[in-house]
Amino acid sequence: MLTWWGKSSSKETKKKANKESFFDTLHRKLRISSKGKVSIRSGGSRRHCNDTISEKGDHSPCGSRSPSPSKVARCQSFIDRPHAQPLPLPGLHPSSVGRVDSEISISSKSRLEKVSKPLSFLTLPTPGCIRCRPNPADLDGDMVTASVFSDCSADSDEPADSHNRSPLAIDCETGTRTAAGSPSSLMLKDQPPAVSQLNSTGVKKPGNILSNHMSSTSPKRRPLRNHVPNLQVPPHGAFYSAPDSSLSSPSRSPLRAFGTDQVLNSAFLAGKPYPEINFVGSGHCSSPGSGHNSGHNSMGGDMSGPLLWQPSRGSPEYSPVPSPRMTSPGPSSRIQSGAVTPIHPKAGGTPTESQTHRLPLPPLSVSNSSLFSHSNSAATSPSMPRSPARADNPNSGSRWKKGKLLGSGSFGHVYLGFNSERGEMCAVKEVTLFSDDPKSMESAKQFMQEIHLLSRLQHPNIVQYYGSETVDNKLYIYLEYVSGGSIHKLLREYGQFGELVIRSYTQQILSGLAYLHAKNTLHRDIKGANILVDPTGRVKLADFGMAKHITGQSCPLSFKGTPYWMAPEVIKNSNGCNLAVDIWSLGCTVLEMATTKPPWFQYEGVAAMFKIGNSKELPTIPDHLSNEGKDFVRKCLQRNPHDRPSASELLDHPFVKNAAPLERPIPAPEALDPVSGITQGAKALAIGQGKNLSSLDSDRLSVHSSRFLKTNPHESEIHIPRNISCPVSPIGSPLLRSRSPQHRNGKMSPSPISSPRTASGASTPLAGGSGAIPFGNHSKQSIYFQEGFGSIPKSSNGVYMNGHSHHDSNVDIFRGMQMGSHISPELVSSENDVLVKQFARHPHAEPYDFQSVLADRVGRQLLGEHVKINPSIDLSPNSSLLSRPNGL
Ligand SMILES: Nc1ncnc2c1ncn2[C@@H]1O[C@H](COP(=O)(O)OP(=O)(O)OP(=O)(O)O)[C@@H](O)[C@H]1O
């Protein structure tokens, strides 16, 4: 225009008629007023107009305010110009954005950069975004810019009409929508890096528009602390699961949002492929690894959208298990959903300040409170500032420092926490809360539920709760750190478990469940991804976000759980929800451990649910599972929940009754006394067990005492699988400290580590491919027999030597062995007489030496010299070869 103006001045006379004609045309096109005409003509007015443009990013003289689609379209086309236009400041009509020429663009850009630095990295807004700011005067500069830019770019390709037709756009214009927003915009200003990563997938979603609106109606994102002194969350019932909140929550799994309404409205039931499946209840699903982290989704909200479950690749527990449709999207994967439940804030369900109540803080002196550094102020911790809620409490605070990411779930992330004052570790579960994000409120609700339940639980097979606190707008739960990861992760990384491992894990899960059920509490999300394993093989139930305390025989059914592990009655809502749902899930978990996959994994979401809910079929039980295992699974998978045994009843099932815990206690120092030898070793085992038992409550004690009394290793019905493997490396465990001279000198036997990702029993190269016979590195360690050794023991107790509760068996063996004089030369085959003959020649050898040398030499003999053991040798506890002198 300026160029044209200059030219026009120099040729005023000649072009006068043309000039008039141009303005006429221009005015006609723009429909500007005659006043505007004057402004353009006068230099002063023009300058004023340019200022206006610079300020507001618009060249238009502010005449028209009509957000017509055509103007939106022009704005969009403007994005493609070489000189991107800065974000117009509040108050500017979007229609003018598209009419700025390059010169003005530069001017306005520089101005905006002076005003707000963040603008420099922001992208050009689209008209739809701009229109979503009904009251620009309320907007915070930075946040406004960020919000608008962040989301507009994603929508820039959409036709203008799409914006106009969008209900959200309409909301933006009317300013009526006030809840739910995309964290991608909400968190631009102060979201932590971890959360930012979660949003980095950049999934294009209509929620962006909503987020724009959020920024428009909410001048600045307000964390909860801005509303209430401490974390305050709506009371139960005030938390709502918004179907579209899966888009807005940084940590929310869409599968947590699986609502009946959505299901009913989805293609699934719209097409009525499985009309007999009725979804009733609140609609909660949670993810398996989520879960995803775990790979499969738990449902715990409205099951919005299609049943397309995607694994969360950002999660350390992202699962390659071939159940792609059932895996959790995880926090970084957002799936579009747009349905709105009746309880959506838009429908009047927005939690308000008046509805909130204070988060019940856990008792400061929690069971394992020693892990908290009460004397320390969290304020000294750079990463874990002192909770405002405990600012007045001298015992409050901690010095837990947030470390690496351990996993991600539907609600948030779990980090390693380290207390640098005490050298202790914990798992820190973190969720970011936004008062205006209903999904965040849902997460808070489930967190509260988890805190509420966990704080009352203390059991060796349940992850111990240490405490919780809020810091700013984040909620933290401190939990016992279980470093081995989940069963799901182990399966993914190492393949299916051997039967002894399955037995042991199942027994421990059952112990935890029996304890839980004795407290009338349902876990509701039993699956491999929610069961953690420590390096010693101790198993712990985790993730109580779905847990529920029931008062009567059953609770109102809600659609909670993870589909593949979900009981039929949950899917069908036929029999309410009772403790038996966990038993069904346990049966599925046993199959998962045996095959790496849950039952019906070959079916995708809805089909799997149909199989579970409507068919009479039992899932395929692998042949390699023992008959006891098969029977156990069948009992768990009784379709009628009343036919399923209780957890405590199942503890007596032969499949688990004599299961040898895999965990190996560290021998007490006195046990290392070579003089005391085996006897002290037995004491050490007892001591280790005593330590464990000391943490048990009465429920646990009753369960275990009865079981221990019943246990008779000589009557073991345990089936010895052909392949036995250990889930952890014998040399990787700190408990595997050799006492042998060789090991003292740092000479270790070759590692019998099974190759990762192979099926149980796979041989390592060290095994020569003929079936690994990894022999324990010392006497107290496990001895792993695989193919070729199958005829040796009838009972695993005498062979798979580990576990404190079955130390009798181990001790029995060593009691026999320590008395070298009682070892018959018959024990030794003609080919393999080196070891035992040696002991036979030294009948008075010290027991300690016997053990060490036995282990080491056998290990070397078997692994290094390929010595074959006479398969007729019976090393079982009641073997005549291992006779016990003096009745021991
Ligand atoms: N106590 C713990 N010790 C070690 N790692 C843990 C612990 N708790 C959780 N994790 C890790 O974090 C992951 C996610 O934890 P968790 O399942 O409790 O979160 P969530 O948000 O409740 O997940 P979900 O979506 O399954 O409900 C786990 O799979 C595990 O890898």
Side-chain angles (χ1 to χ4, degrees):
M1 273 194 311
L2 291 176
T3 302
W4 172 85
W5 183 262
K7 285 181 181 177
S8 130
S9 298
S10 63
K11 302 175 182 177
E12 189 172 0
T13 306
K14 289 171 115 183
K15 303 291 182 180
K16 186 175 181 180
N18 290 341
K19 221 168 32 174
E20 292 300 330
S21 173
F22 171 82
F23 279 115
D24 289 343
T25 303
L26 187 62
H27 296 161
R28 197 167 49 249
K29 285 185 177 179
L30 298 180
R31 296 172 187 164
I32 59 175
S33 66
S34 57
K35 183 179 176 182
K37 216 184 286 186
V38 172
S39 297
I40 291 173
R41 287 173 182 272
S42 77
S45 298
R46 190 170 67 247
R47 170 62 183 268
H48 171 76
C49 186
N50 284 348
D51 282 348
T52 304
I53 292 165
S54 298
E55 291 278 339
K56 300 182 178 181
D58 195 334
H59 177 67
S60 172
C62 322
S64 173
R65 298 268 172 190
S66 169
S68 70
S70 61
K71 289 173 183 172
V72 171
R74 279 199 298 274
C75 179
Q76 287 175 325
S77 65
F78 186 76
I79 295 170
D80 299 329
R81 293 191 179 193
H83 299 286
Q85 291 304 302
L87 177 71
L89 288 176
L92 183 69
H93 190 274
S95 65
S96 61
V97 172
R99 300 187 44 75
V100 184
D101 64 23
S102 59
E103 180 180 339
I104 295 169
S105 169
I106 294 169
S107 170
S108 62
K109 181 178 179 182
S110 62
R111 278 190 177 233
L112 285 173
E113 283 175 345
K114 288 177 187 172
V115 172
S116 176
K117 266 288 179 195
L119 287 174
S120 59
F121 62 86
L122 298 173
T123 55
L124 189 68
T126 56
C129 302
I130 298 167
R131 291 194 301 109
C132 286
R133 293 187 292 154
N135 186 9
D138 292 338
L139 300 178
D140 173 276
D142 288 0
M143 199 58 206
V144 169
T145 305
S147 298
V148 172
F149 277 149
S150 67
D151 288 324
C152 289
S153 57
D155 296 325
S156 60
D157 295 336
E158 293 180 15
D161 285 350
S162 70
H163 293 292
N164 294 332
R165 283 194 295 264
S166 166
L168 294 176
I170 293 169
D171 286 342
C172 289
E173 290 178 357
T174 59
T176 55
R177 181 150 187 155
T178 57
S182 167
S184 63
S185 63
L186 291 175
M187 302 173 70
L188 274 172
K189 197 168 183 179
D190 56 359
Q191 89 182 52
V195 179
S196 299
Q197 289 169 4
L198 295 178
N199 299 330
S200 62
T201 52
V203 177
K204 187 174 178 180
K205 54 194 180 301
N208 286 340
I209 302 172
L210 177 57
S211 69
N212 294 337
H213 175 70
M214 282 300 300
S215 62
S216 68
T217 56
S218 177
K220 201 166 183 177
R221 182 178 65 77
R222 293 182 299 168
L224 255 66
R225 61 191 162 95
N226 290 348
H227 291 269
V228 291
N230 181 30
L231 171 68
Q232 293 191 15
V233 292
H236 292 275
F239 290 95
Y240 300 124
S241 175
D244 57 350
S245 55
S246 60
L247 297 175
S248 59
S249 169
S251 59
R252 190 70 186 151
S253 164
L255 289 180
R256 291 274 192 191
F258 194 158
T260 303
D261 292 342
Q262 282 71 32
V263 173
L264 292 173
N265 291 332
S266 69
F268 158 47
L269 286 185
K272 300 193 176 189
Y274 311 113
E276 288 152 10
I277 296 180
N278 301 312
F279 294 98
V280 183
S282 65
H284 261 69
C285 293
S286 97
S287 86
S290 355
H292 34 74
N293 47 34
S294 29
H296 312 268
N297 287 320
S298 303
M299 299 182 179
D302 22 32
M303 296 173 72
S304 58
L307 287 168
L308 299 179
W309 302 346
Q310 301 170 357
S312 170
R313 296 176 186 276
S315 162
E317 290 240 325
Y318 162 68
S319 169
V321 174
S323 54
R325 316 272 285 190
M326 298 297 276
T327 51
S328 167
S332 62
S333 173
R334 296 183 181 188
I335 297 178
Q336 171 177 342
S337 82
V340 177
T341 67
I343 55 174
H344 188 275
K346 186 158 183 163
T350 306
T352 64
E353 235 174 278
S354 60
Q355 291 174 305
T356 63
H357 68 79
R358 185 175 290 274
L359 175 74
L361 287 172
L364 286 172
S365 55
V366 292
S367 55
N368 286 6
S369 57
S370 64
L371 289 177
F372 283 103
S373 179
H374 291 314
S375 59
N376 297 325
S377 166
T380 60
S381 170
S383 56
M384 292 279 214
R386 186 173 178 153
S387 166
R390 301 182 179 186
D392 299 331
N393 190 330
N395 292 328
S396 68
S398 66
R399 283 196 170 181
W400 292 110
K401 294 177 180 174
K402 195 165 81 176
K404 68 174 181 179
L405 180 71
L406 296 174
S408 297
S410 306
F411 297 127
H413 307 283
V414 181
Y415 298 92
L416 181 63
F418 182 69
N419 188 324
S420 54
E421 301 298 314
R422 304 177 67 94
E424 292 159 341
M425 296 180 189
C426 73
V428 186
K429 209 167 180 177
E430 175 192 276
V431 67
T432 304
L433 302 169
F434 300 111
S435 61
D436 45 9
D437 179 4
K439 213 61 180 180
S440 189
M441 293 298 100
E442 175 70 19
S443 297
K445 175 191 173 187
Q446 301 224 15
F447 250 50
M448 287 176 61
Q449 184 167 309
E450 191 164 1
I451 291 170
H452 179 77
L453 284 167
L454 271 175
S455 63
R456 288 157 176 76
L457 303 177
Q458 187 178 6
H459 189 275
N461 295 120
I462 291 177
V463 166
Q464 185 61 52
Y465 168 81
Y466 294 157
S468 63
E469 65 179 347
T470 60
V471 178
D472 296 334
N473 61 329
K474 294 193 187 317
L475 175 56
Y476 295 95
I477 302 182
Y478 302 105
L479 300 166
E480 173 187 10
Y481 172 50
V482 188
S483 62
S486 69
I487 282 178
H488 173 83
K489 183 187 137 200
L490 291 172
L491 288 168
R492 189 182 70 216
E493 295 181 355
Y494 301 100
Q496 68 196 46
F497 298 159
E499 178 148 332
L500 287 185
V501 175
I502 298 173
R503 287 172 184 256
S504 173
Y505 286 10
T506 304
Q507 182 268 326
Q508 296 181 66
I509 297 168
L510 270 174
S511 292
L513 277 181
Y515 167 83
L516 203 60
H517 289 179
K519 291 180 175 293
N520 264 349
T521 302
L522 286 165
H523 186 281
R524 291 203 288 186
D525 205 9
I526 294 293
K527 60 181 179 182
N530 286 336
I531 299 163
L532 304 176
V533 186
D534 78 6
T536 66
R538 174 68 66 91
V539 159
K540 309 219 174 226
L541 304 184
D543 192 359
F544 284 74
M546 295 289 167
K548 173 98 177 167
H549 179 78
I550 56 175
T551 48
Q553 284 295 310
S554 64
C555 64
L557 194 82
S558 58
F559 196 78
K560 292 193 176 186
T562 305
Y564 288 114
W565 290 260
M566 208 180 271
E569 65 268 23
V570 177
I571 289 178
K572 296 168 66 178
N573 188 38
S574 54
N575 291 306
C577 169
N578 63 30
L579 302 170
V581 301
D582 284 341
I583 302 300
W584 175 281
S585 301
L586 174 65
C588 297
T589 305
V590 172
L591 290 179
E592 182 187 6
M593 290 191 281
T595 66
T596 74
K597 300 167 190 72
W600 290 297
F601 74 95
Q602 64 272 31
Y603 298 100
E604 293 181 351
V606 172
M609 286 195 283
F610 175 74
K611 278 283 178 190
I612 299 167
N614 276 27
S615 78
K616 303 293 179 207
E617 297 174 34
L618 259 184
T620 307
I621 300 177
D623 281 342
H624 62 78
L625 210 56
S626 66
N627 289 334
E628 290 166 347
K630 287 172 183 161
D631 183 68
F632 184 91
V633 169
R634 284 192 200 103
K635 282 187 163 51
C636 291
L637 298 185
Q638 289 292 317
R639 292 196 165 272
N640 183 347
H642 301 294
D643 293 339
R644 288 172 220 150
S646 68
S648 54
E649 287 169 348
L650 281 171
L651 279 168
D652 282 331
H653 191 281
F655 182 62
V656 297
K657 190 168 67 177
N658 296 320
L662 304 176
E663 123 185 48
R664 280 153 279 180
I666 300 174
E670 58 268 31
L672 300 179
D673 180 1
V675 177
S676 50
I678 291 300
T679 303
Q680 286 290 34
K683 285 181 181 174
L685 288 168
I687 290 169
Q689 185 171 351
K691 283 180 180 174
N692 291 328
L693 289 173
S694 68
S695 64
L696 306 184
D697 64 10
S698 55
D699 303 32
R700 164 74 173 173
L701 285 170
S702 61
V703 168
H704 279 257
S705 59
S706 63
R707 291 189 56 246
F708 291 150
L709 288 173
K710 289 175 187 173
T711 300
N712 182 351
H714 301 290
E715 296 174 1
S716 171
E717 300 170 17
I718 290 181
H719 164 78
I720 302 301
R722 291 170 65 80
N723 293 319
I724 302 169
S725 66
C726 180
V728 294
S729 163
I731 62 168
S733 167
L735 299 178
L736 298 174
R737 296 179 195 154
S738 172
R739 294 181 295 161
S740 72
Q742 288 86 346
H743 292 145
R744 284 177 187 157
N745 296 332
K747 299 173 185 174
M748 302 292 289
S749 297
S751 167
I753 302 174
S754 293
S755 175
R757 298 185 182 283
T758 60
S760 171
S763 301
T764 65
L766 290 172
S770 59
I773 309 178
F775 207 89
N777 288 328
H778 72 80
S779 61
K780 280 291 181 289
Q781 304 315 315
S782 297
I783 301 176
Y784 306 92
F785 296 102
Q786 294 188 349
E787 296 234 49
F789 222 84
S791 60
I792 292 177
K794 291 175 184 171
S795 166
S796 64
N797 294 340
V799 178
Y800 197 77
M801 295 182 294
N802 51 37
H804 52 82
S805 69
H806 285 260
H807 62 276
D808 289 347
S809 304
N810 300 340
V811 173
D812 284 345
I813 285 181
F814 289 112
R815 278 173 182 161
M817 285 186 172
Q818 79 181 76
M819 307 306 292
S821 59
H822 291 272
I823 297 179
S824 165
E826 298 166 14
L827 189 146
V828 184
S829 72
S830 58
E831 301 170 276
N832 180 26
D833 59 355
V834 178
L835 173 70
V836 183
K837 275 184 179 176
Q838 181 172 344
F839 284 101
R841 285 195 299 267
H842 301 282
H844 304 295
E846 287 185 347
Y848 168 76
D849 291 334
F850 183 91
Q851 291 181 69
S852 302
V853 176
L854 172 69
D856 291 327
R857 294 201 177 179
V858 168
R860 278 189 287 118
Q861 293 285 334
L862 297 182
L863 294 174
E865 301 172 24
H866 306 286
V867 176
K868 295 176 184 174
I869 287 184
N870 186 338
S872 64
I873 295 174
D874 183 5
L875 292 177
S876 62
N878 50 353
S879 166
S880 60
L881 297 175
L882 302 176
S883 60
R884 301 179 196 118
N886 304 325
L888 292 174

